[in-house]
Amino acid sequence: MELTIATSEDMREFGRRLAAQLRPGDLVLLHGGLGAGKTTLTKGIGEGLAVTGTVASPTFVIARTHRSADGAGPGLVHVDAYRLSGLDELDALDLDASLEDSVTVVEWGEGIAEVLAEDRLEIAIERPRGADAGDPMGDEPRHLSITTHGPRWDGVEL
Ligand SMILES: Nc1ncnc2c1ncn2[C@@H]1O[C@H](COP(=O)(O)OP(=O)(O)OP(=O)(O)O)[C@@H](O)[C@H]1O
Ligand SMILES: [Mg+2]
């Protein structure tokens, strides 16, 4: 599925709507360069899941865990795979323990995180070409390409 998201607030709203479809054990991989909007989308997912804590760039940590505020829904495991060189390091995080009960969102997981689960949602975020001129904090459209992998997503309307 392809779609265009005009503003950062729209990106959060998309994350909130996506969260309504997410279940414990789901894996979401976010691809896209620096400033593409991966963390902005994850903030929306965190809002939609109603998790505790502030979803932010997991700088200085590789993964941050957010619990469901009312304990009813899944928590959020937010992984920044940018500093990971490979699978052994991701394994060392012992993510599998929380994968079952959480929604896991991985930024920069391309080529590393796919093996975590056969079932996964991959979202590639692209900035439009030539968009690097304007205000870096200003809104500009993002192009999203969403692909699903595995039987979990068969027949799911996103
Ligand atoms: N349509 C849009 N969607 C998402 N973010 C947007 C949009 N337009 C502008 N922005 C801005 O782009 C920036 C995206 O930053 P964000 O931290 O979400 O990116 P990132 O992909 O996580 O970057 P990093 O690679 O550093 O982790 C924010 O400052 C946000 O306000
Ligand atoms: Mg980020």
Side-chain angles (χ1 to χ4, degrees):
M1 190 180 84
E2 311 280 318
L3 78 160
T4 300
I5 304 265
T7 69
S8 56
E9 181 45 41
D10 289 346
M11 186 69 89
R12 283 171 86 129
E13 173 58 22
F14 173 69
R16 288 192 286 269
R17 279 193 288 120
L18 180 63
Q21 309 258 23
L22 295 173
R23 297 191 211 137
D26 281 348
L27 175 66
V28 181
L29 304 187
L30 303 183
H31 308 312
L34 285 168
K38 302 180 294 295
T39 300
T40 303
L41 175 53
T42 310
K43 283 176 192 287
I45 293 172
E47 286 164 8
L49 294 175
V51 295
T52 58
T54 304
V55 174
S57 282
T59 310
F60 307 122
V61 294
I62 290 167
R64 189 171 278 146
T65 306
H66 302 269
R67 276 175 298 114
S68 166
D70 64 3
L76 173 67
V77 177
H78 183 194
V79 181
D80 189 344
Y82 190 63
R83 285 169 220 81
L84 292 180
S85 57
L87 260 185
D88 41 349
E89 285 183 65
L90 197 52
D91 271 348
L93 294 177
D94 207 11
L95 279 179
D96 278 358
S98 44
L99 271 181
E100 283 171 30
D101 306 323
S102 309
V103 168
T104 301
V105 176
V106 183
E107 298 190 32
W108 295 105
E110 204 156 17
I112 298 176
E114 285 87 349
V115 296
L116 278 174
E118 175 196 1
D119 292 310
R120 60 190 189 274
L121 189 63
E122 297 198 25
I123 303 178
I125 309 174
E126 276 181 30
R127 305 176 73 159
R129 276 173 221 284
D132 46 348
D135 174 4
M137 300 307 282
D139 284 319
E140 58 182 19
R142 298 292 194 266
H143 185 80
L144 270 57
S145 303
I146 304 175
T147 52
T148 63
H149 302 263
R152 151 72 177 99
W153 297 101
D154 284 351
V156 176
E157 286 284 336
L158 289 168

